[in-house]
Amino acid sequence: MTLHGPVLVGTSLSPASDEALRQAARLAAEISTRLIVCHVIPELIPDGSVFSEFRRANMNVNDSLLAKARAAVELHVKTVIGGVAAVEVVLEYGSPHTGLLMQTDATGAGVVVTAPGSVALDVVRHASTAVLVARPSPEGAIVAATDFSDVSVGAVKVAASVARRRSSALHLLHASDVGLFALGQTAAAALPYLIDSSSIALEGLDNLHAVAKIRLDDTLADTGVSGTTAVIAGSAADVIVHYAESVNAELIVVGTHGRSGLARLTLGSTAASVIESAPCSVLIVRVTAT
């Protein structure tokens, strides 16, 4: 599994979206596809019959706004990434995330790139494709988090393809969240219905970590990319973020289910927390489980 184009990037013409534009241009060049830059204009004149006559009487105002917006976006693109060939500018009306999602479908984009923030979370929650949340990041390792599910295995494949293209090290990470196992006697205090239960045995925990480490090592070997593996106890989001910080990562790759319709509204808490707290860019890969 690899990323495919075209690459669609949203820009608000603000410094916050400059990094998204730069990383989108880099990604488009890496996978040899076209780059589409989308700017969403707020809906100044509401829809509805009450405003129809006003719209018809002021079409020249609307045309002037579009022309000015296009000129501003084109200048912004040239300023941030220079004279990159095959850049297409599209304009949309509405809220930032809905406009970007509409253009994702209209252009058949394979990857959407956006700056961090609430718009990014909304886009990831609803998008049917991969989303890159772009932050200023060092040149470093590509970190792929996996729980060994089909979804995360697909994300590892994408991470390996990115690492291979960039000649970067690939770090495969598994967070072992033992939950109540880690609480020991604390569990009884927190959960009264366990008060008469014996302590949960932890003898098998080391073995569990060892098995996970072997599987990670085998997975890394299968990718053919050099790197390292780690199994760390703790909640997945915290482990991923702290590990990325410790290795000065360039990119974190995590997977989410390739669902459609209303099912896409559910964004896992791990993915959401990583998007919000990561020290570097985050690539969310939407994978259809098999």
Side-chain angles (χ1 to χ4, degrees):
M1 181 176 181
T2 59
L3 297 176
H4 63 87
V7 174
L8 175 70
V9 56
T11 178
S12 60
L13 304 181
S14 67
S17 59
D18 289 357
E19 186 64 23
L21 189 54
R22 282 189 285 266
Q23 292 193 29
R26 178 187 184 184
L27 180 58
E30 287 178 350
I31 62 177
S32 301
T33 190
R34 77 184 199 272
L35 174 63
I36 305 170
V37 180
C38 176
H39 175 64
V40 181
I41 303 170
E43 191 69 77
L44 301 179
I45 306 174
D47 287 326
S49 58
V50 174
F51 300 97
S52 297
E53 183 176 346
F54 182 83
R55 280 179 175 275
R56 287 193 295 270
N58 290 274
M59 286 301 294
N60 59 324
V61 174
N62 188 62
D63 291 343
S64 175
L65 175 63
L66 288 174
K68 290 179 179 179
R70 181 173 296 276
V73 174
E74 290 174 348
L75 177 60
H76 185 71
V77 170
K78 185 176 181 180
T79 301
V80 175
I81 60 175
V84 178
V87 176
E88 178 184 350
V89 173
V90 294
L91 303 176
E92 187 59 75
Y93 282 105
S95 63
H97 80 275
T98 54
L100 196 54
L101 289 166
M102 288 177 65
Q103 282 300 322
T104 300
D105 293 338
T107 61
V111 185
V112 180
V113 185
T114 182
S118 60
V119 172
L121 287 173
D122 285 334
V123 170
V124 173
R125 185 171 287 111
H126 295 85
S128 58
T129 188
V131 179
L132 174 62
V133 182
R135 285 183 174 86
S137 306
E139 290 188 8
I142 309 300
V143 175
T146 177
D147 60 4
F148 305 113
S149 65
D150 290 340
V151 168
S152 63
V153 168
V156 167
K157 292 179 180 178
V158 171
S161 69
V162 174
R164 191 177 296 112
R165 286 196 306 267
R166 299 183 180 181
S167 299
S168 301
L170 176 61
H171 290 220
L172 300 187
L173 176 65
H174 174 67
S176 177
D177 190 355
V178 295
L180 287 178
F181 291 89
L183 292 175
Q185 294 289 350
T186 307
L191 305 173
Y193 46 82
L194 295 180
I195 195 69
D196 295 325
S197 301
S198 60
S199 298
I200 302 173
L202 297 174
E203 287 81 0
L205 189 56
D206 289 342
N207 184 56
L208 181 64
H209 284 187
V211 170
K213 185 67 163 63
I214 291 172
R215 190 165 178 184
L216 282 181
D217 291 341
D218 290 343
T219 302
L220 180 63
D222 289 342
T223 68
V225 180
S226 62
T228 189
T229 63
V231 178
I232 301 175
S235 65
D238 289 342
V239 167
I240 293 168
V241 170
H242 294 157
Y243 184 85
E245 290 174 342
S246 71
V247 300
N248 211 25
E250 175 178 338
L251 178 69
I252 297 170
V253 183
V254 294
T256 187
H257 287 283
R259 296 168 175 149
S260 59
L262 290 177
R264 292 210 307 249
L265 293 174
T266 303
L267 176 63
S269 59
T270 295
S273 295
V274 171
I275 290 170
E276 291 183 313
S277 304
C280 59
S281 296
V282 180
L283 177 62
I284 305 295
V285 180
R286 195 171 293 279
V287 182
T288 302
T290 57

